[in-house]
Structures are given as structure tokens and as C-alpha cells.
Amino acid sequence: MAQMQPVRGTHDLLPAEMRRHRQVVETAREIAERYGYLLMSTPIFEFTEVFKRTLGDTTDIVTKEMYSFEARETEGEGGGQSITLRPENTASVVRAFLSNKLTQDLPQRFFYAGPMFRRERPQKGRQRQFHQIGVELFGVAEPAGDVEVIACGQHIIEELGFAEHIALELNTLGDQESRAAYRTALIDYFQAHREGLSADSRERLERNPLRILDSKDPGDRTVVAGAPAFAAHLTAAASDFFAAVKAGLDSLGIAYKLNPHLVRGLDYYCHTAFEFTTDRLGAQGTVMGGGRYDYLVETMGGPPTAGVGWAAGVERLAMMLAADPPAPRLVALVPIGEAAEAAALPLAQRLRKAGVAVELAASGNVKKRMKRADRIGAYAAILLGEEELATGEATVKTLADGSQQRVAQDRLPELLAALR
């Protein structure tokens, strides 16, 4: 039989790595709640139309990367329809926002965390099943909304301890009038330099010329360097909006650098686009990205509703942590003799209910059980033998220095808390 392996592009999260993921998610959740963003969750699969409508029929995600399948015919709804594992979560959150009829109760602030799925080439920091955290803010049309979500993201990065390795890049996509004028200017420019573009970018020129701006192809980069600037095509209202976002970030002391090539290709994006980037993860330099999407809710069939948010890759953020978060500190309970074996199980349970993490050594002589205590990094061992049972006590051995003391069993939680 072939050796059992995980499916290509998936990855087992064993306890040490899982602690990194948990630190990222729990830190982000706690900080997001300070800004009013409450944890919610959507199903990991949706009707395919949810993503086609929002991501666009011609994007790489929809045409090449989605895991879609036909649901079996059942008595319930959805049988025979196309279902897709979510490749991102903004579309799902908007669907939930509409399905649960929240459009009349604004603003709404959501925080989410969970797995996403894309059929991409696996590489460092990028898997086919990966995990994201994110925030979505609905119903705040003012620049203050953009500032708030960026500040929340910056705060999370600071709390995780690597803000000095992260840069905030900022751009504006303007309003619809600005975007239409810029699109025309871009098409004219790229048509004149068509021969210098890659095959992918020539195809994008017909469908979505803004996406050429963030191409990584060296030839494209040369052409893009001379492309017209978006700022020259901004309406006065769009320019004022971006100025207010920058002023808000300045007032909070949040540093940023302008990146005129930072774009979002779909028409529902507008105004602010931003990314938090690093040079410590190789090619996968973006750890968090987002922007304003005032036309997305309407695109999905809802009323016109302002929206802004971001998503971040948990794997990439976890890779940035300086050290593995420590494992829970355990106590080893070592029974000696048959009577102690019987008494150890209820004692372990009482300690656990009192808040003490206990591993009960299930087999082996005392020497082997003490070696096991060292191996799991226990800070103390509770020795339970005939003498201790006779007096209702236990012997507690502090493993760091080898000292030990006899204590009444009902005082164990107090003593162990002090030792921990």
C-alpha cells in the first residue's frame, strides 16, 4: 500500500504550528472586538453564483482556481446546483448580510476566521487549503470607515509583534467617474504599447486593463512604468475622499507609502485600496489587503450599501511570529501501586475541574513515568502512593529543582497555581 500522504496543497497543523495559528486568530479576534467587529462564520461552501457574481466570470480565481462540484439531488434545496468551496470570504459575508436581512440595521461590523480553498500552485505561505482572518464594515460611506479598518489591521500586526517588518501601501481607485476616465486612458496607453505586453496582459487589456498595473512580468513592468497616473484622472470628490483617509491615518500616527500600481480589478471596488506587505516572506509579500467596495452589495442584488474591509492570511502571519507560543504547562500525576492507580483517576479529574492541566501517567514504572514528565515539560509531578492515600495527601515534586513537599489533596490546586 502506498504511504499515506496529505492531498497536494494541504498541510497538517500539528500542535506547535496550531499554537501559532491560534495566537494569530485569537489576537486578531480580541483586537477586532475592541473596534466593534464581532465574530461570525459562514458555511465553507456556497452556491457557485455567489463567487461568480462577485469575483467575475473572467478572473483567474473563477476560471482556474475554484473547487466547484454539482450537489446531489436531495429532498432539500440545492440539489443539482453548482456548489463551490469558498475561495475567499467577503462574498460569503455579503451573502450572509443580505440573507439575514441586515441592510436596515447599519452599520454592521463583522470579524471572521476560517479555511479557504483555491487550486493554486502550492508554495511557501500559499496552500490549496489556507486560512484567513478578516473584517467587513457595512454602512459607513465616510473616509472614517477606511481609516478604522486600516487602524484595526495595523493594531493587530502591532499586537502580534512584528510591525517593524511590515509596510502599509496605499492607493485610491477613485469613484466611478474617475475610474471610467482612467480606464479609457489606460486602454489608449496600453494599446499603443501592446507589443511590449505579455500574452496575459494583452488578454487583460480587452477585459480589465487595471489588472495590468500589478503584473509581475518583467516586460509588463517596463511598460507599466510609463503608464498614466490615476491621480490625474481623479474627480475633486474622489481626491478629497483620499485626502481625508490620509489625514485620518496621519492623525493616528500610522505610516504609509503611496503605491499608484496597487489596484483592485473589479468594478465594485472604489476609493481606498491598501496592502500590508513585508520582505521577509519571499515572493508572498502581502500579509493583509483590502479596500472599499461600495458597489458590491448592489452587485449581489442588495440595496446600495457602502462597504470596506480586509483579509489576511493566517499562515503568513503565523510565519512572522518571533517564536512558537508555549504549550500549556502540565502537571504529571504519578500513581504508585494498585490502590493509587484507582485513586489517581478521580484526583486528576478534580484537579482538571479546578483549572489544573494534568497528564495521568497510564503505565510503566515510576522511573519511566518521571521520564515522561520531563519529556512533556511538566513543571511538577504529583506522587501518589500508599502513605499519601492513608493520610489524604500527595507528594508534589518541583521538577525544576527537584524539591518536594507533602500537601493535603484539597490544597493541591492552590499550591500548583503558585508553582506554575
Side-chain angles (χ1 to χ4, degrees):
M1 187 177 71
Q3 184 178 2
M4 298 296 290
Q5 295 291 334
V7 175
R8 185 169 185 262
T10 64
H11 180 64
D12 298 313
L13 293 171
L14 298 179
E17 191 172 359
M18 194 68 226
R19 288 196 295 275
R20 283 179 168 261
H21 274 236
R22 183 178 175 184
Q23 180 167 332
V24 168
V25 172
E26 287 301 303
T27 299
R29 180 194 56 77
E30 194 273 329
I31 296 299
E33 286 181 350
R34 297 188 202 176
Y35 291 74
Y37 293 83
L38 302 182
L39 180 64
M40 60 92 72
S41 180
T42 63
I44 64 169
F45 53 84
E46 301 271 358
F47 290 121
T48 301
E49 183 63 23
V50 168
F51 302 113
K52 279 192 173 183
R53 185 180 295 193
T54 57
L55 298 174
D57 284 331
T58 59
T59 60
D60 285 348
I61 294 176
V62 170
T63 60
K64 301 176 183 178
E65 298 173 4
M66 294 201 316
Y67 286 99
S68 298
F69 55 94
E70 186 174 298
R72 286 185 174 184
E73 293 285 355
T74 64
E75 293 181 4
E77 295 182 5
Q81 297 193 54
S82 180
I83 303 293
T84 294
L85 298 177
R86 61 188 183 197
E88 59 89 41
N89 211 31
T90 298
S92 295
V93 174
V94 174
R95 195 272 310 146
F97 173 69
L98 293 174
S99 298
N100 291 281
K101 300 178 173 56
L102 301 176
T103 58
Q104 299 302 311
D105 185 16
L106 298 174
Q108 291 283 338
R109 290 174 169 85
F110 299 118
F111 170 81
Y112 63 81
M116 313 293 158
F117 305 85
R118 293 187 192 178
R119 188 185 287 109
E120 298 183 288
R121 183 171 64 86
Q123 53 189 293
K124 181 180 179 181
R126 185 189 292 273
Q127 296 289 321
R128 290 177 172 179
Q129 176 178 316
F130 58 100
H131 300 79
Q132 285 187 340
I133 53 173
V135 300
E136 311 293 353
L137 169 60
F138 298 107
V140 178
E142 295 78 17
D146 307 54
V147 176
E148 178 180 292
V149 299
I150 293 173
C152 178
Q154 172 75 19
H155 194 164
I156 290 167
I157 289 168
E158 290 172 355
E159 198 74 14
L160 289 171
F162 43 76
E164 69 272 19
H165 302 297
I166 301 290
L168 170 61
E169 299 184 12
L170 195 66
N171 193 24
T172 177
L173 305 177
D175 50 22
Q176 286 183 316
E177 185 180 344
S178 308
R179 194 180 177 101
Y182 186 53
R183 190 178 191 278
T184 299
L186 271 188
I187 290 174
D188 291 343
Y189 172 78
F190 286 133
Q191 286 285 15
H193 297 81
R194 187 182 182 90
E195 295 307 312
L197 294 175
S198 66
D200 282 347
S201 287
R202 286 197 294 272
E203 186 179 345
R204 287 170 181 162
L205 177 55
E206 309 300 329
R207 297 183 283 123
N208 204 330
L210 266 72
R211 291 192 61 212
I212 300 175
L213 296 177
D214 61 1
S215 170
K216 302 300 186 289
D217 180 88
D220 290 345
R221 301 306 304 159
T222 300
V223 175
V224 165
F230 206 146
H233 299 82
L234 289 177
T235 63
S239 183
D240 289 346
F241 190 101
F242 193 43
V245 171
K246 291 185 287 185
L249 295 175
D250 291 339
S251 73
L252 298 179
I254 297 176
Y256 56 86
K257 58 182 180 182
L258 299 180
N259 178 359
H261 298 148
L262 177 57
V263 296
R264 298 285 183 267
L266 298 169
D267 288 341
Y268 57 75
Y269 283 107
C270 61
H271 293 299
T272 313
F274 61 90
E275 289 183 352
F276 289 91
T277 63
T278 182
D279 59 5
R280 299 185 70 196
L281 297 178
Q284 305 305 318
T286 301
V287 297
M288 180 183 292
R292 179 166 282 276
Y293 48 80
D294 284 353
Y295 309 107
L296 177 55
V297 175
E298 194 172 0
T299 297
M300 293 185 69
T305 307
V308 59
W310 54 254
V314 175
E315 281 81 358
R316 297 181 195 178
L317 291 172
M319 289 164 64
M320 297 284 291
L321 294 176
D324 286 340
R329 301 203 68 195
L330 291 168
V331 169
L333 178 51
V334 180
I336 305 168
E338 249 182 64
E341 294 277 2
L345 185 59
L347 175 58
Q349 196 69 354
R350 290 199 301 275
L351 290 172
R352 289 164 182 155
K353 290 186 175 182
V356 181
V358 179
E359 181 180 286
L360 174 56
S363 62
N365 59 33
V366 174
K367 183 177 180 181
K368 284 184 177 179
R369 294 182 183 191
M370 292 303 293
K371 281 186 176 180
R372 169 68 183 174
D374 287 332
R375 195 159 62 249
I376 65 173
Y379 63 94
I382 302 171
L383 304 174
L384 194 62
E386 290 183 5
E387 290 185 16
E388 287 86 357
L389 288 177
T391 60
E393 296 178 313
T395 298
V396 178
K397 183 174 183 178
T398 305
L399 298 183
D401 60 12
S403 63
Q404 60 185 50
Q405 55 187 303
R406 188 80 67 87
V407 62
Q409 290 183 18
D410 59 5
R411 287 197 53 237
L412 281 171
E414 174 189 346
L415 174 62
L416 293 169
L419 292 177
R420 187 172 65 241

